[in-house]
Structure formats: structure tokens, C-alpha cells
């Protein structure tokens, strides 16, 4: 189980970094914004089974879109 969690964490770090690049912000700022609206867990971890089969670019775009939608509410 720890190997799976390590893999989830690595995917989350890569997705946060790629999404931050798309938005022109730092990975730290991206993480803070995602965490503030509850998306670190909800999007990256709960959807891991779906997300890890997609390209990093697709996941990053999905993270940015979700963040923008959640920050509006």
C-alpha cells in the first residue's frame, strides 16, 4: 500500500507543478490554492485511478479548470 501512496504522491506533485506552469504561478502557490478549496484531496487523490492513465498535460489542464471553477464558488 505504501508504494501505491508514493505513486499517488508523485503524480500529485507532477500534476501540481504542471498546472502551476500553465497558470504562471509557483507550485507552492498552486498547492496552497488547491488546498484552500479542497482540491488536493478531492481531485488528485480521489480521482487517481482515472487521472494516472491520462497524460500529464491533460491532468494539468483538468486541475487548472477545476481550480478556476471551485474558486468561483
Amino acid at each position: 500500500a505504501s508504494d501505491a501512496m508514493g505513486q499517488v504522491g508523485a503524480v500529485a506533485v507532477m500534476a501540481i507543478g504542471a498546472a502551476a506552469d500553465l497558470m504562471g504561478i509557483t507550485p507552492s502557490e498552486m498547492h496552497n490554492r488547491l488546498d484552500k478549496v479542497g482540491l488536493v484531496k478531492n481531485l488528485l487523490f480521489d480521482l487517481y485511478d482515472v487521472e494516472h492513465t491520462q497524460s500529464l498535460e491533460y491532468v494539468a489542464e483538468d486541475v487548472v479548470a477545476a481550480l478556476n471553477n471551485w474558486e468561483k464558488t
Side-chain angles (χ1 to χ4, degrees), residues 8 10 27 50-51 60 64:
V8 170
V50 174
E51 300 293 357
V64 169

Side-chain angles (χ1 to χ4, degrees), residues 7-54:
Q7 194 173 11
V8 170
V11 169
V13 168
M14 289 188 300
I16 289 169
D21 287 346
L22 285 177
M23 292 185 71
I25 62 177
T26 66
S28 178
E29 182 180 346
M30 174 60 80
H31 182 275
N32 290 341
R33 288 172 66 179
L34 290 170
D35 193 46
K36 184 176 180 180
V37 295
L39 278 175
V40 171
K41 181 179 187 300
N42 291 338
L43 184 66
L44 299 176
F45 290 97
D46 292 347
L47 299 179
Y48 172 73
D49 288 337
V50 174
E51 300 293 357
H52 84 282
T53 62
Q54 304 296 329

